[in-house]
Amino acid sequence: MDLRKKIDDIFADYQRDLGRLVSIPSVLEEGGDAPFGANIQRALEEVLKISEELGFRTFIDPNGYYGYAEIGEGDEMFGVLGHMDVVPAGDVKAWDSNPFELVEKDGFLVGRGSSDDKGPTLAAMYALKTLLNEGKTLNQRVRFIFGTDEESLWRCMNAYVEKEELPTKGFTPDAGFPLIYAEKGLIEFMLYSHQMSDVRLEGGGALNAVPSQATTDYDADVAAALDELGYTYTVDGNDLTVEGMAIHAKDADKGKNAIVYLAEALHKAGKTNDMIRFIVEKMSNPNGTLVFGEVEDEVSGKLMLNVGKVSFRENVQQIGIDIRFPVTYPVENVKELLTKDAHKYEIVVELYDYLKSIYVEKESDYIQSLMKAYQDITGDTVSQPITSGGATYARAMDNVVAFGALLPTGLKTEHQVNERISIEDMKVAMHVYAQAFLNIVIK
């Protein structure tokens, strides 16, 4: 069987179905009839419809928290975990095309969710479908589990774990190849100050994305401060908006945080309050050195800190922060040192979310079977299992690891403007997934 040719043949169908998913702006919306908003519910229903068309049995949680598609028979079950929610598009004008329309351009498929995580999840499903189309037989059930709250609080996976059967082993196609064996701890906080202040500062959204914009009322002194600091901004009526560069919070030190930039300018111009001082004096270093000192380990690298959201209203100033800390660094230290510094500014700290770090033995038979699939298809025997600051569904269940879909040479665009996947790279990823399924779940 020429597996690569079969993938080429089926790719047009994959692209069509990915377009169906990308067209749904499945961004978190609290407070409606569906737990995470009508659009996320639509995306969940659409991926289940696609699954049925591919021959899978499907189930949707009556409360709308998750769904799954299953194929095969037997007591043992292999899991593939993906998510249908996406982060907001950000500044739509900065995109070269509609964020919620899958566009093919220069060898890439462009659209929000194309790389995180609609594209990779669907690619793994199509990889398995390619094998089954060729008459291959499963030695166990394979279940694709679709989450809906991955970009926020993981309430979807919490509900699934509480109510459903857990896989014996599995992977999540929501990171990079060859394989991630360790993930930093993740902790998020909401911080509040109740100082009387008329300073306006708004910006950001998802805590796990470095904010690309932050806005205040136009003020000549603030504009002058921004010019002196060398930060980019635009003026539209009374709105002065600072431009940053979005990137995933796990790589916060590679982005440009618009909230921090604007806070620095406001402070420099004398338009300040306790929260602005706290942002400038304690939150402005993306490695958290102003609060925690130099924190790094050999396994997972440096601590990352992201001010992901800010909202000032009359006598309430709020920020949301995301911290990724090394696997050997105690979470108690994070809580203690942050709270200690915040209290000096009369700021209240509330825990928003916490996911423990993971560290999996690289030499297990399962890990080696995944590595062999990657190496056999790509020929890359140099790249080794890696660590990440990202939070993938690998943390949700035992014996699950992050496996692709981004190749080591691929372009990382998740959470960014013009999010995209290379068509050629995705075909390679589908081939790797097909080989992994051959190694593990095919008779």
Side-chain angles (χ1 to χ4, degrees):
M1 175 178 60
D2 185 344
L3 190 52
R4 177 53 196 263
K5 183 180 185 305
K6 299 298 182 183
I7 289 170
D8 287 342
D9 291 343
I10 207 171
F11 197 83
D13 292 339
Y14 162 81
Q15 184 170 331
R16 176 202 64 214
D17 288 342
L18 178 56
R20 293 162 62 181
L21 296 177
V22 169
S23 70
I24 302 171
S26 48
V27 176
L28 176 65
E29 296 176 338
E30 304 274 15
D33 293 335
F36 311 119
N39 284 325
I40 288 180
Q41 183 74 15
R42 283 176 55 213
L44 177 60
E45 292 172 356
E46 189 67 18
V47 76
L48 292 174
K49 183 178 179 182
I50 292 169
S51 301
E52 291 173 356
E53 293 167 2
L54 293 175
F56 289 77
R57 305 180 296 272
T58 63
F59 172 83
I60 188 167
D61 170 47
N63 297 317
Y65 280 76
Y66 60 87
Y68 61 76
E70 185 174 282
I71 200 163
E73 306 296 336
D75 294 335
E76 192 173 5
M77 186 255 283
F78 186 90
V80 181
L81 285 62
H83 64 90
M84 291 298 108
D85 59 313
V86 297
V87 297
D91 181 10
V92 175
K93 295 179 182 178
W95 286 70
D96 295 334
S97 56
N98 180 350
F100 298 108
E101 177 185 355
L102 190 68
V103 174
E104 182 176 344
K105 182 180 180 182
D106 299 329
F108 288 86
L109 298 178
V110 184
R112 179 61 88 218
S114 57
S115 70
D116 181 23
D117 180 41
K118 294 173 179 178
T121 300
L122 194 62
M125 178 172 282
Y126 260 88
L128 181 59
K129 179 61 176 175
T130 301
L131 297 176
L132 299 179
N133 285 350
E134 294 305 304
K136 298 296 183 182
T137 304
L138 294 168
N139 61 21
Q140 59 189 282
R141 288 174 293 136
V142 177
R143 179 179 291 184
F144 286 80
I145 303 167
F146 305 114
T148 54
D149 188 39
E150 195 271 351
E151 300 292 2
S152 184
L153 294 174
W154 286 29
R155 288 163 287 187
C156 52
M157 279 300 112
N158 292 339
Y160 180 92
V161 170
E162 180 181 342
K163 297 195 288 186
E164 302 291 347
E165 177 186 1
L166 301 182
T168 306
K169 60 178 71 75
F171 65 77
T172 177
D174 192 19
F177 287 121
L179 183 140
I180 293 177
Y181 72 97
E183 295 184 10
K184 291 177 181 176
L186 180 156
I187 193 163
E188 294 178 332
F189 298 94
M190 290 295 180
L191 287 76
Y192 301 89
S193 174
H194 294 275
Q195 183 180 15
M196 292 300 298
S197 173
D198 60 0
V199 177
R200 175 190 173 207
L201 179 53
E202 305 286 339
L207 302 190
N208 62 356
V210 173
S212 61
Q213 292 187 318
T215 301
T216 190
D217 294 330
Y218 176 77
D219 182 278
D221 292 337
V222 176
L226 286 165
D227 289 333
E228 187 174 342
L229 291 166
Y231 296 148
T232 302
Y233 65 94
T234 59
V235 177
D236 183 6
N238 192 49
D239 288 344
L240 186 156
T241 300
V242 172
E243 306 293 336
M245 185 183 79
I247 199 167
H248 198 290
K250 67 184 177 64
D251 300 312
D253 58 1
K254 296 181 176 63
K256 297 179 181 179
N257 194 309
I259 291 173
V260 170
Y261 290 177
L262 183 50
E264 289 175 344
L266 287 165
H267 186 61
K268 188 177 184 66
K271 315 292 182 179
T272 194
N273 55 41
D274 288 343
M275 187 64 84
I276 289 174
R277 288 196 305 111
F278 181 74
I279 293 172
V280 173
E281 296 171 6
K282 293 297 179 179
M283 299 283 101
S284 57
N285 183 283
N287 297 121
T289 58
L290 300 174
V291 176
F292 308 105
E294 299 286 345
V295 178
E296 182 176 9
D297 68 16
E298 293 183 0
V299 175
S300 53
K302 293 183 178 182
L303 182 146
M304 297 287 169
L305 185 153
N306 178 51
V307 182
K309 181 178 182 179
V310 62
S311 176
F312 285 11
R313 305 182 307 278
E314 295 184 2
N315 66 336
V316 180
Q317 299 85 43
Q318 174 187 355
I319 64 172
I321 65 172
D322 177 296
I323 299 172
R324 314 291 169 114
F325 56 94
V327 297
T328 60
Y329 191 71
V331 65
E332 291 76 17
N333 287 13
V334 177
K335 297 176 181 176
E336 179 181 346
L337 293 174
L338 176 66
T339 302
K340 181 179 178 181
D341 272 353
H343 283 179
K344 296 175 184 177
Y345 295 77
E346 298 186 354
I347 290 172
V348 176
V349 177
E350 292 184 2
L351 178 64
Y352 183 67
D353 193 20
Y354 167 59
L355 297 171
K356 64 183 179 65
S357 60
I358 63 169
Y359 184 27
V360 180
E361 175 54 55
K362 292 188 290 183
E363 303 306 320
S364 70
D365 290 343
Y366 175 51
I367 298 303
Q368 291 305 305
S369 68
L370 293 177
M371 283 298 297
K372 187 175 188 307
Y374 170 78
Q375 292 171 346
D376 286 350
I377 299 307
T378 64
D380 176 11
T381 58
V382 175
S383 300
Q384 295 299 311
I386 57 178
T387 65
S388 173
T392 74
Y393 279 159
R395 303 170 192 253
M397 304 173 195
D398 293 337
N399 300 316
V400 174
V401 296
F403 185 51
L406 184 69
L407 295 172
T409 56
L411 187 66
K412 297 177 66 174
T413 62
E414 74 272 19
H415 294 200
Q416 297 182 39
V417 167
N418 296 322
E419 178 183 342
R420 58 201 180 275
I421 56 172
S422 160
I423 292 174
E424 177 59 28
D425 285 0
M426 188 52 71
K427 289 180 179 179
V428 172
M430 290 173 73
H431 200 173
V432 173
Y433 289 138
Q435 187 61 52
F437 287 133
L438 279 171
N439 291 353
I440 300 166
V441 301
I442 298 295
K443 291 181 180 177

